[in-house]
Amino acid sequence: MPSAIDGISLPSRPKAASLDKSQVQNRIPRLTPRRKAPPSQNPHPAPETPPLPSPPAWSTLTSHEPTRRILSSHDHELFQASPTLDLILSFVFSLSEAAADKKISSIDLAEVSNVIHQINSVISLVEGTIVQCPPADQSGSRFGNPAFRDFLDTIASQSPSWHTMLGVPPSAITEVSTYLHNSFGNRTRIDYGSGHELNFLIWLLCLNRLSLLPPSTFPAVALLIFPRYITLMRKIQSTYYLEPAGSHGVWGLDDYHFLPFLFGASQLLHHPYIRPLSIHNELVLDEEGDEYLYLSMVRETMASKSVKGLKWTQPMLDDISGAKNWEKVEQGMRRMFVKEVLGKLPVMQHFLFGSLVPAAEGMSREEDFRGVRPEAEEREGGEVVVEEAGGVRHVHRDDAWGDCCGIKIPSTVAAAQEARKNGEGEGFRRIPFD
């Protein structure tokens, strides 16, 4: 019925059609819970650990002094596709896995095998050589001390007896000892970098290929021998003012080393309270630095800098500290080792190949080209490119100046040592290009 308000008639509202329950349910959109987006997949997954092949029969090999074989980009490509790359990755990553979730103190020196004691003795003998070859007076210069050459020459003269003690076959001593000699830095340039650090791992790999270091010794190698080597290198660097090879400076993890960060991240994989961000806590570094390589390296790096804060001195370490967990850090270190060490021609051009760590078929030979000096005599720090005419020219790296430009970078370790000698304390200090 129409209604009237003050004489105005209004139409009546139509009655709503009656709807049953099923019709109502069909008209109302269903509420579905939101599903979490699947985690984004890293386009570059962490490299796996290849299986470690059994040691070869030494009688089937022809030993020779290791030489450089990566003399061009093509040589580097051949290396990256060779079984030798897998051999190196297998050994290095196996050592890292052997250190997983273990403290340095978890290795009892009284329970390790005899070969570990012998290698430990060799490191002690190398350390004693520093006392025999004191640094020369350089009148305050922060660049490499020439007494380092005497140090290396002394090691070379004593090395055969050390390798005999280790049980290395006499015919293999020249080959194996070459890697040890190149583990402490370059004699001509008086510098040290990740390539020299890699030589120490290859020396250990050679002992493994000779069946002297079986996989059962890997935890002791990673947590006893390798930390001792790093401590030894810190002493050599501060004594002879070794210059950082490559001069990465703040754009690297450390001026000299890389592998302690890989092994150290593996140590901390499932730690109950130490997180990647804990590297900014000086109390954690002081209390736990002696047990974990990663923390020890951060502590040493911060001690050698005049400015406090990784944000300013080592921004890459600062960025990595924001990782969710140590698994992410360890995976990133694996990628970095493959890309920034084994994947960089300026680093791998100095790598030495012998019979135990062989070159790939088709790689160049030093004797095939004029102008290529042996690694120990190489003066340039950049990339070497072999020309079609058989000559060799030096070109700059794409991320740093080569030594040919006359721009040499003194180490911050040297600057810190000179500051202490002059009683300057821990304040700001300049690094002069003297």
Side-chain angles (χ1 to χ4, degrees):
M1 293 292 294
S3 60
I5 300 177
D6 297 335
I8 301 174
S9 62
L10 298 174
S12 59
R13 295 181 180 178
K15 292 182 179 180
S18 60
L19 299 173
D20 57 25
K21 185 177 180 181
S22 61
Q23 290 176 316
V24 173
Q25 288 178 342
N26 291 334
R27 287 192 178 188
I28 299 176
R30 292 188 176 184
L31 298 178
T32 57
R34 291 183 178 180
R35 294 181 178 179
K36 292 184 178 181
S40 58
Q41 297 295 324
N42 193 311
H44 304 289
E48 300 287 338
T49 303
L52 185 65
S54 300
W58 175 245
S59 60
T60 64
L61 303 177
T62 303
S63 180
H64 60 86
E65 184 174 356
T67 59
R68 289 187 297 171
R69 301 291 298 275
I70 300 179
L71 302 176
S72 68
S73 297
H74 177 64
D75 294 332
H76 192 215
E77 292 170 0
L78 291 175
F79 163 72
Q80 290 183 307
S82 70
T84 298
L85 175 68
D86 288 340
L87 175 63
I88 295 171
L89 290 178
S90 176
F91 184 70
V92 172
F93 290 165
S94 294
L95 289 179
S96 179
E97 291 172 357
D101 299 320
K102 296 184 180 73
K103 294 183 177 182
I104 290 176
S105 61
S106 67
I107 303 300
D108 187 353
L109 188 59
E111 297 180 358
V112 298
S113 63
N114 187 47
V115 68
I116 296 296
H117 283 288
Q118 292 169 338
I119 296 174
N120 202 35
S121 297
V122 170
I123 294 176
S124 297
L125 291 170
V126 174
E127 188 172 8
T129 307
I130 300 175
V131 179
Q132 301 175 32
C133 305
D137 182 16
Q138 296 192 115
S139 302
S141 174
R142 273 73 172 227
F143 288 110
N145 195 295
F148 177 66
R149 298 186 179 109
D150 298 331
F151 166 79
L152 289 183
D153 292 343
T154 303
I155 288 177
S157 65
Q158 299 178 359
S159 178
S161 62
W162 299 345
H163 286 81
T164 300
M165 175 183 68
L166 290 172
V168 175
S171 58
I173 287 179
T174 298
E175 177 175 346
V176 177
S177 63
T178 298
Y179 292 108
L180 181 65
H181 301 164
N182 285 275
S183 298
F184 307 112
N186 182 272
R187 186 182 185 281
T188 302
R189 299 189 301 270
I190 314 183
D191 64 5
Y192 179 93
S194 55
H196 301 103
E197 178 185 73
L198 180 60
N199 273 320
F200 185 76
L201 268 294
I202 301 302
W203 179 63
L204 296 172
L205 174 57
C206 287
L207 298 180
N208 169 264
R209 297 293 84 193
L210 292 170
S211 301
L212 298 174
L213 272 182
S216 61
T217 64
F218 285 4
V221 171
L223 297 174
L224 175 63
I225 298 302
F226 189 69
R228 275 221 64 194
Y229 166 72
I230 296 298
T231 301
L232 169 65
M233 283 313 309
R234 289 300 192 191
K235 187 172 184 179
I236 293 173
Q237 290 153 9
S238 62
T239 300
Y240 300 112
Y241 295 176
L242 303 189
E243 298 163 20
S247 304
H248 280 289
V250 299
W251 304 116
L253 296 173
D254 181 84
D255 288 349
Y256 298 106
H257 298 283
F258 173 79
L259 288 173
F261 294 97
L262 171 62
F263 295 174
S266 182
Q267 282 185 277
L268 292 162
L269 271 178
H270 304 101
H271 199 280
Y273 61 86
I274 297 179
R275 300 289 182 264
L277 271 176
S278 300
I279 66 172
H280 299 282
N281 189 324
E282 292 189 15
L283 183 61
V284 172
L285 297 180
D286 289 340
E287 291 187 350
E288 304 287 355
D290 292 338
E291 292 286 2
Y292 298 98
L293 279 166
Y294 198 102
L295 304 182
S296 174
M297 296 301 296
V298 174
R299 184 175 62 183
E300 290 293 331
T301 296
M302 293 178 64
S304 67
K305 306 295 183 180
S306 59
V307 178
K308 296 295 183 182
L310 293 174
K311 180 179 180 180
W312 311 109
T313 59
Q314 305 293 124
M316 182 178 289
L317 275 178
D318 183 67
D319 289 344
I320 294 172
S321 69
K324 183 179 180 180
N325 51 50
W326 286 109
E327 183 180 0
K328 296 288 187 182
V329 177
E330 195 266 349
Q331 291 175 354
M333 292 299 166
R334 285 185 174 227
R335 295 189 197 96
M336 197 178 299
F337 177 66
V338 173
K339 181 180 179 181
E340 300 298 330
V341 179
L342 301 181
K344 291 292 186 182
L345 179 56
V347 175
M348 294 308 295
Q349 68 167 347
H350 301 289
F351 191 83
L352 302 172
F353 295 87
S355 64
L356 294 168
V357 184
E361 188 70 28
M363 291 173 65
S364 303
R365 298 178 182 273
E366 289 183 350
E367 58 267 25
D368 295 338
F369 301 95
R370 60 178 175 83
V372 178
R373 295 187 179 95
E375 167 58 18
E377 301 175 9
E378 178 60 56
R379 296 182 178 275
E380 303 293 358
E383 177 182 348
V384 173
V385 177
V386 179
E387 298 177 328
E388 292 182 1
V392 175
R393 62 186 175 88
H394 168 75
V395 298
H396 292 147
R397 288 175 43 175
D398 56 2
D399 62 347
W401 291 104
D403 289 342
C404 62
C405 302
I407 303 177
K408 299 178 70 179
I409 308 297
S411 71
T412 55
V413 172
Q417 288 293 101
E418 286 299 319
R420 293 188 185 97
K421 290 180 182 179
N422 297 329
E424 296 177 10
E426 298 298 328
F428 286 96
R429 56 182 180 267
R430 66 187 183 91
I431 302 180
F433 292 85
D434 47 357

